[in-house]
PDB file of all heavy atoms in Angstrom:
ATOM      1  N   GLU A 354     -19.738  16.895  26.756  1.00  0.00           N
ATOM      2  CA  GLU A 354     -20.285  16.212  25.700  1.00  0.00           C
ATOM      3  C   GLU A 354     -19.182  15.706  24.725  1.00  0.00           C
ATOM      4  O   GLU A 354     -19.341  14.592  24.253  1.00  0.00           O
ATOM      5  CB  GLU A 354     -21.206  17.124  24.872  1.00  0.00           C
ATOM      6  CG  GLU A 354     -22.562  17.498  25.492  1.00  0.00           C
ATOM      7  CD  GLU A 354     -23.310  18.436  24.721  1.00  0.00           C
ATOM      8  OE1 GLU A 354     -22.735  19.465  24.116  1.00  0.00           O
ATOM      9  OE2 GLU A 354     -24.665  18.353  24.606  1.00  0.00           O
ATOM     10  N   LEU A 355     -18.150  16.486  24.578  1.00  0.00           N
ATOM     11  CA  LEU A 355     -16.914  16.072  23.749  1.00  0.00           C
ATOM     12  C   LEU A 355     -16.311  14.945  24.377  1.00  0.00           C
ATOM     13  O   LEU A 355     -15.939  13.834  23.900  1.00  0.00           O
ATOM     14  CB  LEU A 355     -16.005  17.283  23.614  1.00  0.00           C
ATOM     15  CG  LEU A 355     -14.684  16.958  22.912  1.00  0.00           C
ATOM     16  CD1 LEU A 355     -14.984  16.376  21.463  1.00  0.00           C
ATOM     17  CD2 LEU A 355     -13.785  18.170  22.902  1.00  0.00           C
ATOM     18  N   ARG A 356     -16.059  15.011  25.818  1.00  0.00           N
ATOM     19  CA  ARG A 356     -15.582  13.762  26.490  1.00  0.00           C
ATOM     20  C   ARG A 356     -16.245  12.504  26.237  1.00  0.00           C
ATOM     21  O   ARG A 356     -15.705  11.450  25.987  1.00  0.00           O
ATOM     22  CB  ARG A 356     -15.452  14.182  28.055  1.00  0.00           C
ATOM     23  CG  ARG A 356     -14.192  15.054  28.348  1.00  0.00           C
ATOM     24  CD  ARG A 356     -14.055  14.980  29.959  1.00  0.00           C
ATOM     25  NE  ARG A 356     -12.785  15.627  30.333  1.00  0.00           N
ATOM     26  CZ  ARG A 356     -12.699  16.848  30.771  1.00  0.00           C
ATOM     27  NH1 ARG A 356     -13.951  17.520  30.969  1.00  0.00           N
ATOM     28  NH2 ARG A 356     -11.561  17.400  31.156  1.00  0.00           N
ATOM     29  N   ALA A 357     -17.611  12.630  26.424  1.00  0.00           N
ATOM     30  CA  ALA A 357     -18.435  11.494  26.214  1.00  0.00           C
ATOM     31  C   ALA A 357     -18.387  10.932  24.788  1.00  0.00           C
ATOM     32  O   ALA A 357     -18.404   9.625  24.684  1.00  0.00           O
ATOM     33  CB  ALA A 357     -19.930  11.848  26.459  1.00  0.00           C
ATOM     34  N   ASP A 358     -18.273  11.798  23.815  1.00  0.00           N
ATOM     35  CA  ASP A 358     -18.148  11.282  22.402  1.00  0.00           C
ATOM     36  C   ASP A 358     -16.827  10.655  22.179  1.00  0.00           C
ATOM     37  O   ASP A 358     -16.683   9.585  21.555  1.00  0.00           O
ATOM     38  CB  ASP A 358     -18.287  12.552  21.566  1.00  0.00           C
ATOM     39  CG  ASP A 358     -18.171  12.088  20.033  1.00  0.00           C
ATOM     40  OD1 ASP A 358     -19.099  11.427  19.603  1.00  0.00           O
ATOM     41  OD2 ASP A 358     -17.206  12.442  19.375  1.00  0.00           O
ATOM     42  N   ILE A 359     -15.801  11.229  22.723  1.00  0.00           N
ATOM     43  CA  ILE A 359     -14.469  10.608  22.655  1.00  0.00           C
ATOM     44  C   ILE A 359     -14.364   9.253  23.238  1.00  0.00           C
ATOM     45  O   ILE A 359     -13.892   8.313  22.690  1.00  0.00           O
ATOM     46  CB  ILE A 359     -13.275  11.456  23.263  1.00  0.00           C
ATOM     47  CG1 ILE A 359     -13.209  12.802  22.423  1.00  0.00           C
ATOM     48  CG2 ILE A 359     -12.003  10.846  23.251  1.00  0.00           C
ATOM     49  CD1 ILE A 359     -12.181  13.844  23.087  1.00  0.00           C
ATOM     50  N   LYS A 360     -14.956   8.999  24.384  1.00  0.00           N
ATOM     51  CA  LYS A 360     -14.969   7.809  25.177  1.00  0.00           C
ATOM     52  C   LYS A 360     -15.784   6.786  24.405  1.00  0.00           C
ATOM     53  O   LYS A 360     -15.356   5.616  24.235  1.00  0.00           O
ATOM     54  CB  LYS A 360     -15.538   7.955  26.526  1.00  0.00           C
ATOM     55  CG  LYS A 360     -15.338   6.762  27.442  1.00  0.00           C
ATOM     56  CD  LYS A 360     -15.670   7.095  28.831  1.00  0.00           C
ATOM     57  CE  LYS A 360     -15.198   6.014  29.825  1.00  0.00           C
ATOM     58  NZ  LYS A 360     -15.265   6.299  31.237  1.00  0.00           N
ATOM     59  N   THR A 361     -16.889   7.177  23.661  1.00  0.00           N
ATOM     60  CA  THR A 361     -17.662   6.223  22.835  1.00  0.00           C
ATOM     61  C   THR A 361     -16.803   5.785  21.704  1.00  0.00           C
ATOM     62  O   THR A 361     -16.846   4.549  21.426  1.00  0.00           O
ATOM     63  CB  THR A 361     -18.930   6.974  22.395  1.00  0.00           C
ATOM     64  OG1 THR A 361     -19.812   7.287  23.493  1.00  0.00           O
ATOM     65  CG2 THR A 361     -19.798   5.971  21.434  1.00  0.00           C
ATOM     66  N   LYS A 362     -16.216   6.666  21.050  1.00  0.00           N
ATOM     67  CA  LYS A 362     -15.421   6.342  19.781  1.00  0.00           C
ATOM     68  C   LYS A 362     -14.198   5.423  20.202  1.00  0.00           C
ATOM     69  O   LYS A 362     -13.882   4.557  19.454  1.00  0.00           O
ATOM     70  CB  LYS A 362     -14.954   7.548  19.139  1.00  0.00           C
ATOM     71  CG  LYS A 362     -16.100   8.272  18.432  1.00  0.00           C
ATOM     72  CD  LYS A 362     -15.550   9.574  17.755  1.00  0.00           C
ATOM     73  CE  LYS A 362     -16.683  10.268  17.059  1.00  0.00           C
ATOM     74  NZ  LYS A 362     -16.410  11.514  16.390  1.00  0.00           N
ATOM     75  N   LEU A 363     -13.559   5.862  21.382  1.00  0.00           N
ATOM     76  CA  LEU A 363     -12.423   4.947  21.848  1.00  0.00           C
ATOM     77  C   LEU A 363     -12.881   3.483  22.142  1.00  0.00           C
ATOM     78  O   LEU A 363     -12.299   2.532  21.897  1.00  0.00           O
ATOM     79  CB  LEU A 363     -11.808   5.515  22.989  1.00  0.00           C
ATOM     80  CG  LEU A 363     -10.971   6.812  22.826  1.00  0.00           C
ATOM     81  CD1 LEU A 363     -10.418   7.368  24.144  1.00  0.00           C
ATOM     82  CD2 LEU A 363      -9.749   6.492  21.931  1.00  0.00           C
ATOM     83  N   ALA A 364     -14.147   3.475  22.862  1.00  0.00           N
ATOM     84  CA  ALA A 364     -14.705   2.035  23.124  1.00  0.00           C
ATOM     85  C   ALA A 364     -14.987   1.321  21.819  1.00  0.00           C
ATOM     86  O   ALA A 364     -14.716   0.074  21.728  1.00  0.00           O
ATOM     87  CB  ALA A 364     -15.932   2.247  23.954  1.00  0.00           C
ATOM     88  N   GLU A 365     -15.493   1.946  20.756  1.00  0.00           N
ATOM     89  CA  GLU A 365     -15.757   1.224  19.463  1.00  0.00           C
ATOM     90  C   GLU A 365     -14.457   0.781  18.840  1.00  0.00           C
ATOM     91  O   GLU A 365     -14.440  -0.323  18.274  1.00  0.00           O
ATOM     92  CB  GLU A 365     -16.515   2.270  18.544  1.00  0.00           C
ATOM     93  CG  GLU A 365     -17.917   2.547  19.014  1.00  0.00           C
ATOM     94  CD  GLU A 365     -18.514   3.715  18.235  1.00  0.00           C
ATOM     95  OE1 GLU A 365     -17.732   4.300  17.364  1.00  0.00           O
ATOM     96  OE2 GLU A 365     -19.760   3.878  18.301  1.00  0.00           O
ATOM     97  N   GLN A 366     -13.434   1.680  18.867  1.00  0.00           N
ATOM     98  CA  GLN A 366     -12.073   1.307  18.304  1.00  0.00           C
ATOM     99  C   GLN A 366     -11.459   0.132  19.120  1.00  0.00           C
ATOM    100  O   GLN A 366     -10.890  -0.727  18.533  1.00  0.00           O
ATOM    101  CB  GLN A 366     -11.153   2.551  18.296  1.00  0.00           C
ATOM    102  CG  GLN A 366     -11.570   3.697  17.481  1.00  0.00           C
ATOM    103  CD  GLN A 366     -10.780   4.874  17.772  1.00  0.00           C
ATOM    104  OE1 GLN A 366      -9.865   4.919  18.508  1.00  0.00           O
ATOM    105  NE2 GLN A 366     -11.267   6.050  17.111  1.00  0.00           N
ATOM    106  N   GLY A 367     -11.689   0.183  20.425  1.00  0.00           N
ATOM    107  CA  GLY A 367     -11.219  -0.968  21.261  1.00  0.00           C
ATOM    108  C   GLY A 367     -11.877  -2.280  20.884  1.00  0.00           C
ATOM    109  O   GLY A 367     -11.220  -3.302  20.876  1.00  0.00           O
ATOM    110  N   VAL A 368     -13.205  -2.187  20.646  1.00  0.00           N
ATOM    111  CA  VAL A 368     -13.911  -3.525  20.201  1.00  0.00           C
ATOM    112  C   VAL A 368     -13.274  -4.023  18.980  1.00  0.00           C
ATOM    113  O   VAL A 368     -13.020  -5.251  18.709  1.00  0.00           O
ATOM    114  CB  VAL A 368     -15.427  -3.257  20.127  1.00  0.00           C
ATOM    115  CG1 VAL A 368     -16.020  -4.380  19.580  1.00  0.00           C
ATOM    116  CG2 VAL A 368     -15.987  -2.935  21.486  1.00  0.00           C
ATOM    117  N   LEU A 369     -13.165  -3.152  17.925  1.00  0.00           N
ATOM    118  CA  LEU A 369     -12.566  -3.554  16.579  1.00  0.00           C
ATOM    119  C   LEU A 369     -11.204  -4.127  16.797  1.00  0.00           C
ATOM    120  O   LEU A 369     -10.781  -5.104  16.141  1.00  0.00           O
ATOM    121  CB  LEU A 369     -12.603  -2.437  15.609  1.00  0.00           C
ATOM    122  CG  LEU A 369     -14.073  -1.822  15.236  1.00  0.00           C
ATOM    123  CD1 LEU A 369     -13.849  -0.675  14.331  1.00  0.00           C
ATOM    124  CD2 LEU A 369     -14.771  -2.982  14.409  1.00  0.00           C
TER     125      LEU A 369
END
Side-chain angles (χ1 to χ4, degrees):
E354 289 175 323
L355 176 59
R356 279 196 171 99
D358 180 68
I359 292 174
K360 193 164 189 176
T361 298
K362 289 178 179 176
L363 286 175
E365 292 171 350
Q366 293 169 10
V368 169
L369 292 175

